[in-house]
């Protein structure tokens, strides 16, 4: 029986609820990097992505392989990252040292592609690293191209001249070779290029109030015009006729932009005791991970939702927040407890990403917690950083008198921030959009 492990150093917060990754599409393909073997794979596959030429490949129950670590990574152009994979072969890898006759290679190719049939993938030999339980662990160096987002994966051969079997991730509920190679479960490399920009917004959608379909159309048109990459959403609601408003917005953006917009949603409570309401994230970037955290509260349920995606600014996490609104001592304590929980959630993940965005409706002013607490840990208030003392009021949209909607960022520099939807109205909150650049 194989022994699965998160070695060598995969950091995951124990309080999260992982929800898996996403197949992203990128026009970027691999450059002809020195030291990587180019060439088409052997002819023929079965539905599990296992080679059908001479010899035996990996069959579930008899053998297993994965991409072990890291599941995703940010790199500078031309830099290298050590990547690990593990292989189990019944009766062979449990012995000390590398199993006789096996070999492993690390490959890199276009995001969303299948290495078993895509001849543009580049492969380099992996070397035995260490025994991990019943598994043999291999390592190889991943050389970053000049720019772009790429997939990477391991492939294993059980005997000289035998077929290659292709292995993806096994973290967050993925299964490596047990369920065949799936591009959405590949490792992902984001090459971080100085000056690259991620375009981002946050918006409270005001649940299903006042013609939500029309308001979503207005938001989609503006977001397409801004060429956004991701949006955090609050008061996302699910209507029996319209559906999930985050999903509807993502679908309309996909139609307008031709990009693969995808939605994520977590219910926090029932609005008016009947309608599913929660927070959401939509993004057109290739997603590598997502997780939710239930936040402390004495009133309505609250949750933080984090989506992690690959971009030209590196691997970036986007977290959406909607903190308690009560103007009472209990409400103020809720917001303090909630921001501390979010910071713990994000700090545990900080080493795995190049930048973090925390955004949403915090139901408090810029000189109060939670804004001051976020800034004390190195997060930058995008509005204040670019607009200085301009008030930036976001609520109520009809006559704004308070700033309670924010984009906080760490690891990127806000270069342009503006308020959205003063007219035509999209919500009872104005939205905030920002361009966030690699320094």
């Amino acid at each position: 029986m194989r022994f699965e492990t998160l070695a060598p150093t995969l950091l995951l917060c124990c309080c999260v609820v992982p929800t898996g990754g996403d197949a992203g599409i990128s026009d970027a393909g691999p450059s002809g990097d020195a030291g990587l073997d180019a060439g088409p794979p052997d002819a023929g596959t079965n539905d599990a992505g296992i080679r059908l030429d001479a010899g035996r490949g990996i069959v579930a129950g008899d053998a297993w392989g994965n991409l072990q670590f890291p599941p995703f990574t940010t790199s500078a152009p031309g830099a290298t990252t050590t990547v690990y994979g593990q292989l189990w072969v019944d009766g062979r890898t449990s012995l000390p040292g590398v199993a006789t006759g096996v070999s492993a290679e690390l490959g890199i190719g276009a995001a969303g592609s299948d290495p078993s049939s895509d001849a543009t993938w580049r492969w380099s030999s992996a070397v035995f690293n260490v025994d991990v339980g019943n598994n043999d662990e291999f390592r190889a160096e991943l050389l970053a191209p000049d720019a772009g987002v790429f997939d990477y994966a391991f492939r294993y051969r059980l005997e000289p001249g035998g077929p290659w079997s292709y292995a993806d991730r096994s973290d967050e509920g993925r299964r490596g070779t047990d369920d065949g190679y799936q591009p959405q479960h590949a490792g992902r490399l984001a090459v971080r290029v100085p000056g690259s920009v991620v375009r981002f917004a946050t918006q409270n959608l005001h649940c299903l109030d006042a013609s939500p379909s029309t308001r979503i159309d207005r938001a989609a048109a503006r977001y397409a015009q801004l060429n956004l990459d991701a949006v955090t959403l609050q008061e996302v609601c699910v209507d029996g006729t319209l559906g999930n408003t985050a999903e509807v917005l993502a679908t309309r953006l996909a139609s307008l932009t031709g990009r693969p917009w995808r939605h994520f949603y977590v219910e926090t409570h029932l609005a008016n005791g009947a309608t599913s309401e929660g927070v959401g994230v939509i993004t057109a970037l290739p997603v590598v991970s997502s997780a939710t955290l239930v936040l402390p509260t004495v009133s309505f349920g609250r949750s933080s939702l984090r989506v992690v995606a690959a971009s030209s600014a590196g691997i970036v996490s986007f977290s959406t927040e909607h903190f308690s609104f009560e103007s009472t001592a209990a409400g103020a304590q809720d917001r303090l407890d909630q921001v501390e929980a979010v910071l713990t959630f994000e700090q545990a993940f900080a080493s795995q990403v190049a930048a973090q965005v925390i955004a949403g409706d915090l139901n408090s002013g810029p000189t109060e917690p939670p804004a001051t607490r976020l800034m004390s840990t190195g997060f930058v208030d995008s509005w204040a950083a670019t607009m200085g003392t301009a008030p930036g009021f976001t609520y109520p949209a009809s006559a704004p008198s308070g700033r309670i909607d924010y984009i906080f960022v760490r690891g990127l520099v806000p270069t342009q921030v503006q308020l959205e939807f003063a007219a035509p109205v999209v919500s009872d909150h104005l939205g905030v959009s920002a361009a966030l650049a690699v320094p």
Side-chain angles (χ1 to χ4, degrees), residues 207 237-238 265 267-278 300-301:
C207 200
C237 286
V238 182
Y265 171 74
E267 180 183 293
T268 56
H269 64 284
L270 297 180
N272 301 317
T275 301
S276 176
E277 179 179 327
F300 292 142

Side-chain angles (χ1 to χ4, degrees), residues 235-293:
E235 289 195 31
V236 176
C237 286
V238 182
D239 173 71
T241 302
L242 181 62
N244 182 303
T245 53
E247 182 178 13
V248 174
L249 180 54
T251 299
R252 294 181 187 179
L253 267 169
S255 177
L256 289 171
T257 65
R259 299 177 69 190
W261 281 87
R262 185 158 181 236
H263 83 286
F264 296 79
Y265 171 74
V266 57
E267 180 183 293
T268 56
H269 64 284
L270 297 180
N272 301 317
T275 301
S276 176
E277 179 179 327
V279 293
V281 175
I282 60 172
T283 184
L285 297 172
V287 172
V288 299
S289 181
S290 64
T292 64
L293 173 71

Side-chain angles (χ1 to χ4, degrees), residues 149-173:
V149 174
F150 303 88
D151 284 357
Y152 58 92
F154 269 87
R155 66 181 183 181
Y156 300 97
R157 195 175 248 167
L158 302 189
E159 56 191 77
W164 288 109
S165 296
Y166 295 79
D168 52 23
R169 294 161 57 182
S170 61
D171 63 309
E172 295 187 355

Side-chain angles (χ1 to χ4, degrees), residues 12 16-22 72 169 171-172 174 262-265 281 287-293 304-309 317-318 345 349:
L12 293 175
V16 305
V17 181
T19 56
D22 177 43
F72 44 84
R169 294 161 57 182
D171 63 309
E172 295 187 355
R174 299 172 182 86
R262 185 158 181 236
H263 83 286
F264 296 79
Y265 171 74
V281 175
V287 172
V288 299
S289 181
S290 64
T292 64
L293 173 71
S304 179
L305 168 62
R306 177 178 66 216
V307 173
V308 186
S317 67
F318 305 98
F345 186 47
F349 201 74

Side-chain angles (χ1 to χ4, degrees), residues 30-38 78-80 108 122-125 141-146:
S31 61
D33 299 315
L36 298 181
D37 295 328
T80 59
I108 180 173
R122 301 293 186 263
W123 297 93
S124 58
S125 295
E141 297 301 311
L142 182 67
L143 177 64
D146 292 337

